[in-house]
Amino acid sequence: MFGIDLGKYRTIVISIALFLIFDLGVLVLNFFISSEIASDAVNVNLAGRQRMLTQRTAKLTLQLENRAAAGSGQATEMKELIAAFSLFDRTLAAFEQGGETAGGDGQPIHIAAVDDPVARTVLAEARRLWDPYQASIAAVIERGRADPETASELVRQAETANLPLLKLMNDLTTRVEELAASKATTLRAVQVAGISLATANFLIILFHFIRHLRESDRELERARRETDDILRTTQDGLFLLDGEGRIGSQFSSSLTRVLGTSQLAGRSFYEIISPAVTPKTLDTTREYIDLLLRHDVKEKLVVSLNPLECVEVNLAQGPGEAEVRYLQFGFNRVFEAGQVTHLLVTANDITRNVLLERELKASEERAKGQMGLLVEILQVEPATMNQFLRSAQDGLQHINRQLREQGSAREVGKETINSIYRIAHRVKGDASALGLTGLATSLHSLEDILSGLRERPALAGEDFLPVTVRVKGLFEEIEALYQAAGRVAQIRGVVSVEAPRPQHDPGVQALPFVQRWQAFAARLATEHDRRVELGYHGIDAETLPDPLRDALNSMVNQFIRNAIVHGIEDRETRRLRGKPETGRLSVYLSSREDGGVDLSFRDDGEGISVAKVREAAVRAGRLSKEEAAAMDSRRVVGLIFEPGLSTRDSVDEDGGRGAGLDTVKALVMQLGGQIRIGSTPGEYCHFRLSLGTLAPRAKAERSVQPQEEVVA
Amino acid sequence: MKRLMIVDDSNIIRSKIARALGEHGLEVVGLAPNGEDAVERCVSSRPDVITMDITMPGMDGIECIRRIRAVNPTVRILVVSALADKATAIQALKEGAQGFVCKPFTEHDLTEAIGELFSED
């Protein structure tokens, strides 16, 4: 319409146009008819005046007759007669042909010729009667006065014409009134019709619009229901973010679950995520969202920079307990008229995916890490390891208790952090001392968290959630160590392995018995042109009961002798084997829970040559060649504890008589205990003794059979 | 032919980019080893596109983008950097870079990113 696309407004525009056309039509007709009614009213008035003029003319003829008979002046009557006569004549002519006459107020007035046939018949009849009457009056008027005969003749004419003229003028008046009344009726009909049409039009518009409103309401309602269904059933947390970073009023039900709160509408997104992310990530998020809201930067470019791809959230589950969840947020632009007005954000709990991924990675790591862990564990003596693990577990439990006590507290004192820190630091120190680097690193990160907390001005119980999470992890690590250590112990039951590496401890090295061993080793080494160094690690042997201490001293001396005479190679050989020129003897003594002690003696020399022992046994006449060849390696190695057996070719003060290790065996039997041997030819030899505390008399009932193992 | 300026403190990277994009139909009109040089040369060389390193001695890439934007609002800037963190990339885009490529990059990464830079969507 008019080249303008009216779209959905077409109907209303047409309706309004029709309404205006109806109104205008009614108005024009109204104007036309009412102006006709107005001129009819003038005609009624003039017709009425004609009636009056017939009477006045008749009355004046009578007065004129009286004056003429009395012979008195006729000037007044004549003047009035002229006025009445000419007014009637002019008006009659105007009715007949249209023209000018005087109005009620004496002003000239133009009227149209009467065209109604009935009225015209009346006028024709009036003309017929008026013409002779008019001629007589005109003759009298022309003469200026009337003599008695003329006056009588005039009266006679008036008597004849007056009544019919009166009746005719009366008829004219009635007829003109009828015409006006009929026009008024037409006018009313037009008005009623116009108003009816306008009303009908209005009703149509109303009906039409109500129907449309209902339809669009229904559509809106349907759309709303669909949106509601989507928001209620989707597994994604969905919401809209405005330019201020505020969450819109509509969001999916899952969002409540994902974010752990239902108080979301109108809240700042940054405020909600701030406890879960670092201040830097929060800043980056702000910048990122700003960037997305600017439409001049390409969306696919920005998407890869999402800083909230994986957010770790600690949710409080009760006093001092927390659950870790991982959330992923995705952002999409929402355009309106080509401008980015909002961001549609999806929030998902990806904990399961993250954990699965981690588990996969962890199992890979475990495959690699278990080796490392085993190596770490192997370097620690089992009793020490157990002692450490127990103490670490105690420490962690102590931390846990404190966390539980503080879990719900509104304010937490710095002393609690300090106390937790001290425990963590002690356990870390122990772990590093034992070479358990993995555990030490975990404890170090716990310390970092605690240092961070220490710097905060005020602390509430919930600030400790990350600590709780770490402690939980540490428990798991310790559990893993326990298990690994258990497995190592099983392995050790079969194979003796790498010795503990004594820690350098000047205090321990200064103990008198250690110094005696060192002096003895040094002297012996000089005599045999060797270089050795003896390191000691463990408890103070002086605190042990005398018999045990003395036995230990003898055994260590035997081991020193055995190592220097049979084990440690000359410097040239050592150099060729890639070993330090100075041989290393390591002594380690620890007490067990049951009151017994474990002694470990290791040298990094030749190790035990099974072949040489076999030869020695044959040479000493202990075995025939055949027996020796048939005997398995473990039993062959066990022969070194037999009296009178030495692998050394010549006898000297310090070896060769085969009277060293049998002494050790005797002592072990006396004390009640076990001997284990581990050795790799060319690398090391390691004796591990578990000694009881029972008095020599009581030990007779115990198994004292030494066990020998060898790593060939 | 699009005029290219390469801003990078590494000689090797500069020649790698020059070779890759030179073959891709860009005319290398400027090489700058640091931010200061880049701002200076940007006026005389009138490049259509700049590849920009972020970590450089002296003026860093972010500051350099800001200065170049002040004198040349139309030049397209592609960040080519070992972007250790997302925050730096976001910062670069905010300052007016239109794209980024992470080091180490392939020739394909570069040409694709340059193509994106001049695409209209």
Side-chain angles (χ1 to χ4, degrees):
Chain A
M1 189 185 281
F2 310 115
I4 301 165
D5 181 17
L6 298 170
K8 62 180 177 178
Y9 301 110
R10 193 164 171 268
T11 322
I12 191 168
V13 169
I14 292 173
S15 305
I16 289 171
L18 278 175
F19 187 80
L20 288 175
I21 288 168
F22 293 148
D23 272 3
L24 206 65
V26 170
L27 196 68
V28 170
L29 274 173
N30 203 0
F31 181 78
F32 174 72
I33 296 172
S34 57
S35 72
E36 283 209 334
I37 289 175
S39 60
D40 282 355
V42 172
N43 287 1
V44 170
N45 201 18
L46 294 181
R49 194 177 65 185
Q50 294 292 77
R51 258 186 340 203
M52 180 273 285
L53 287 174
T54 58
Q55 294 312 97
R56 178 178 288 178
T57 310
K59 188 183 130 196
L60 286 169
T61 54
L62 283 171
Q63 282 175 348
L64 212 55
E65 189 188 27
N66 288 341
R67 289 280 177 180
S72 46
Q74 300 172 3
T76 312
E77 284 74 18
M78 193 57 75
K79 196 179 159 195
E80 281 188 31
L81 184 64
I82 292 167
F85 160 82
S86 62
L87 187 56
F88 183 88
D89 192 52
R90 253 162 63 206
T91 306
L92 187 63
F95 272 132
E96 284 170 333
Q97 284 119 34
E100 211 170 68
T101 181
D105 51 1
Q107 296 297 315
I109 184 172
H110 184 88
I111 58 169
V114 174
D115 51 5
D116 176 66
V118 177
R120 284 210 76 83
T121 316
V122 171
L123 283 171
E125 184 58 23
R127 172 59 69 191
R128 196 183 54 77
L129 288 171
W130 175 250
D131 275 351
Y133 188 28
Q134 178 245 14
S136 306
I137 297 170
V140 171
I141 290 170
E142 203 174 325
R143 278 199 297 276
R145 62 171 289 110
D147 51 40
E149 291 79 32
T150 314
S152 296
E153 175 56 24
L154 206 54
V155 167
R156 197 186 46 79
Q157 274 193 347
E159 278 169 352
T160 317
N162 181 40
L163 277 175
L165 269 179
L166 178 65
K167 185 182 172 290
L168 285 169
M169 288 304 107
N170 208 26
D171 289 349
L172 181 65
T173 308
T174 310
R175 183 63 193 161
V176 172
E177 271 176 355
E178 274 171 15
L179 286 172
S182 119
K183 280 177 186 163
T185 307
T186 309
L187 181 60
R188 272 196 299 277
V190 164
Q191 282 173 338
V192 168
I195 296 285
S196 302
L197 281 172
T199 309
N201 185 35
F202 172 76
L203 288 174
I204 289 168
I205 296 174
L206 199 65
F207 174 75
H208 183 80
F209 274 93
I210 285 174
R211 206 186 63 196
H212 267 273
L213 272 177
R214 277 202 187 139
E215 264 173 25
S216 56
D217 277 359
R218 263 200 300 277
E219 266 170 34
L220 273 178
E221 177 62 19
R222 198 164 45 236
R224 198 186 59 79
R225 263 207 307 275
E226 278 171 10
T227 312
D228 279 356
D229 285 349
I230 291 169
L231 291 180
R232 204 178 54 247
T233 53
T234 177
Q235 291 298 304
D236 292 339
L238 283 179
F239 61 96
L240 284 173
L241 264 193
D242 66 10
E244 309 278 300
R246 300 209 168 268
I247 295 176
S249 57
Q250 287 207 306
F251 46 83
S252 65
S253 309
S254 296
L255 187 63
T256 305
R257 175 177 53 77
V258 173
L259 295 182
T261 170
S262 57
Q263 306 295 310
L264 292 164
R267 273 183 73 191
S268 158
F269 176 61
Y270 306 119
E271 182 196 306
I272 289 171
I273 60 159
S274 69
V277 298
T278 62
K280 193 182 173 209
T281 307
L282 190 65
D283 281 347
T284 309
T285 306
R286 277 180 206 278
E287 304 248 307
Y288 177 71
I289 287 175
D290 283 353
L291 207 57
L292 274 174
L293 286 165
R294 273 172 41 176
H295 73 294
D296 58 338
V297 181
K298 288 177 187 168
E299 187 167 12
K300 69 175 164 189
L301 198 63
V302 191
V303 163
S304 62
L305 298 174
N306 180 3
L308 300 183
E309 266 182 335
C310 185
V311 181
E312 184 181 319
V313 183
N314 295 312
L315 291 173
Q317 293 290 28
E321 285 184 35
E323 184 195 347
V324 182
R325 297 225 312 239
Y326 297 90
L327 305 184
Q328 182 179 53
F329 294 91
F331 299 85
N332 289 87
R333 285 170 167 168
V334 178
F335 288 91
E336 251 174 57
Q339 294 289 317
V340 184
T341 53
H342 286 85
L343 297 178
L344 174 66
V345 188
T346 53
N348 283 311
D349 188 334
I350 52 162
T351 309
R352 202 199 287 208
N353 308 22
V354 170
L355 293 182
L356 267 175
E357 207 173 292
R358 284 210 183 153
E359 214 168 289
L360 272 175
K361 212 171 167 188
S363 63
E364 273 172 29
E365 292 280 317
R366 261 202 301 278
K368 282 188 231 155
Q370 237 160 15
M371 245 358 253
L373 191 66
L374 284 174
V375 169
E376 282 182 357
I377 293 166
L378 287 170
Q379 289 170 356
V380 183
E381 207 281 328
T384 314
M385 176 59 111
N386 282 335
Q387 201 180 350
F388 163 74
L389 291 175
R390 258 198 312 279
S391 114
Q393 230 169 12
D394 286 349
L396 291 177
Q397 266 153 9
H398 192 67
I399 293 176
N400 242 1
R401 270 197 301 280
Q402 290 190 318
L403 289 172
R404 258 192 222 108
E405 282 161 20
Q406 303 298 346
S408 52
R410 276 165 173 269
E411 211 172 306
V412 179
K414 292 276 192 275
E415 187 41 44
T416 305
I417 304 175
N418 290 340
S419 158
I420 295 174
Y421 192 93
R422 277 194 297 272
I423 298 169
H425 192 71
R426 174 176 59 75
V427 179
K428 184 184 95 170
D430 290 351
S432 341
L434 295 177
L436 302 170
T437 46
L439 188 64
T441 311
S442 302
L443 282 153
H444 188 76
S445 70
L446 174 63
E447 282 183 356
D448 284 346
I449 295 172
L450 290 166
S451 304
L453 289 176
R454 210 151 40 177
E455 281 160 23
R456 291 217 203 157
L459 286 168
E462 62 197 30
D463 293 329
F464 281 81
L465 285 178
V467 179
T468 311
V469 174
R470 291 281 168 194
V471 170
K472 206 172 152 197
L474 283 165
F475 267 117
E476 282 163 12
E477 280 184 59
I478 285 175
E479 184 53 39
L481 279 167
Y482 255 127
Q483 284 178 3
R487 246 172 283 147
V488 169
Q490 282 175 346
I491 298 164
R492 273 189 170 133
V494 187
V495 179
S496 181
V497 288
E498 184 82 12
R501 271 188 206 146
Q503 300 298 308
H504 180 69
D505 184 345
V508 172
Q509 304 301 324
L511 289 168
F513 65 92
V514 177
Q515 288 183 332
R516 279 199 298 276
W517 290 338
Q518 286 169 337
F520 175 54
R523 182 175 59 78
L524 216 55
T526 313
E527 283 171 12
H528 291 270
D529 195 29
R530 300 285 191 273
R531 274 197 197 161
V532 294
E533 192 181 59
L534 184 143
Y536 177 74
H537 181 63
I539 58 170
D540 186 349
E542 300 293 343
T543 59
L544 296 169
D546 288 356
L548 185 57
R549 186 193 60 212
D550 293 343
L552 277 168
N553 194 37
S554 311
M555 288 190 278
V556 171
N557 283 333
Q558 288 306 332
F559 284 134
I560 292 171
R561 191 188 305 275
N562 185 63
I564 293 171
V565 176
H566 299 290
I568 303 297
E569 314 88 325
D570 60 54
R571 274 178 270 173
E572 179 62 18
T573 310
R574 288 183 68 83
R575 210 173 46 242
L576 290 173
R577 286 182 174 170
K579 296 179 179 179
E581 284 189 2
T582 305
R584 173 88 193 162
L585 311 182
S586 309
V587 188
Y588 176 54
L589 188 60
S590 63
S591 54
R592 286 197 313 270
E593 262 186 338
D594 64 3
V597 294
D598 289 328
L599 171 68
S600 150
F601 187 94
R602 183 185 190 275
D603 68 73
D604 63 349
E606 288 270 10
I608 297 168
S609 160
V610 179
K612 278 192 175 177
V613 179
R614 277 204 178 95
E615 276 172 34
V618 173
R619 196 166 54 236
R622 300 292 298 260
L623 295 172
S624 68
K625 273 191 174 179
E626 293 72 18
E627 283 172 320
M631 194 180 267
D632 75 68
S633 319
R634 284 176 58 170
R635 288 191 59 198
V636 171
V637 172
L639 292 173
I640 63 169
F641 290 100
E642 292 300 320
L645 194 108
S646 174
T647 55
R648 202 171 153 94
D649 303 326
S650 61
V651 176
D652 64 28
E653 187 191 337
D654 301 304
R657 289 192 196 87
L661 295 179
D662 61 331
T663 317
V664 173
K665 181 178 173 184
L667 284 168
V668 172
M669 287 176 77
Q670 263 182 29
L671 291 166
Q674 290 185 330
I675 303 171
R676 289 175 184 163
I677 309 164
S679 175
T680 299
E683 281 188 36
Y684 74 95
C685 179
H686 186 193
F687 296 95
R688 291 171 61 236
L689 277 59
S690 298
L691 302 170
T693 48
L694 298 172
R697 275 188 313 279
K699 56 89 190 140
E701 294 148 27
R702 298 186 60 185
S703 159
V704 291
Q705 190 59 42
Q707 295 184 348
E708 298 90 14
E709 292 105 20
V710 65
V711 181
Chain B
M1 201 180 217
K2 296 264 188 294
R3 298 163 64 83
L4 168 72
M5 180 164 93
I6 302 167
V7 187
D8 205 300
D9 60 340
S10 154
N11 221 340
I12 299 164
I13 301 281
R14 280 201 306 273
S15 37
K16 185 177 172 186
I17 296 174
R19 202 171 46 246
L21 295 181
E23 281 170 18
H24 194 63
L26 276 82
E27 181 193 358
V28 179
V29 293
L31 296 168
N34 57 55
E36 288 83 353
D37 264 32
V39 175
E40 217 168 275
R41 277 169 209 219
C42 185
V43 181
S44 54
S45 312
R46 293 174 291 105
D48 302 309
V49 55
I50 298 175
T51 68
M52 178 69 67
D53 188 16
I54 294 295
T55 317
M56 290 183 291
M59 185 195 294
D60 70 4
I62 300 282
E63 176 63 25
C64 186
I65 294 172
R66 193 177 299 143
R67 300 228 183 147
I68 287 177
R69 271 276 164 265
V71 294
N72 187 343
T74 55
V75 63
R76 311 272 167 133
I77 301 176
L78 177 73
V79 172
V80 180
S81 178
L83 295 166
D85 64 335
K86 293 174 173 177
T88 312
I90 290 175
Q91 196 62 38
L93 291 177
K94 279 194 91 172
E95 291 301 343
Q98 284 99 346
F100 59 83
V101 169
C102 289
K103 289 181 192 169
F105 54 87
T106 64
E107 201 178 306
H108 177 73
D109 293 337
L110 260 190
T111 52
E112 193 182 52
I114 291 283
E116 282 286 323
L117 223 52
F118 288 97
S119 78
E120 283 308 314
D121 68 306

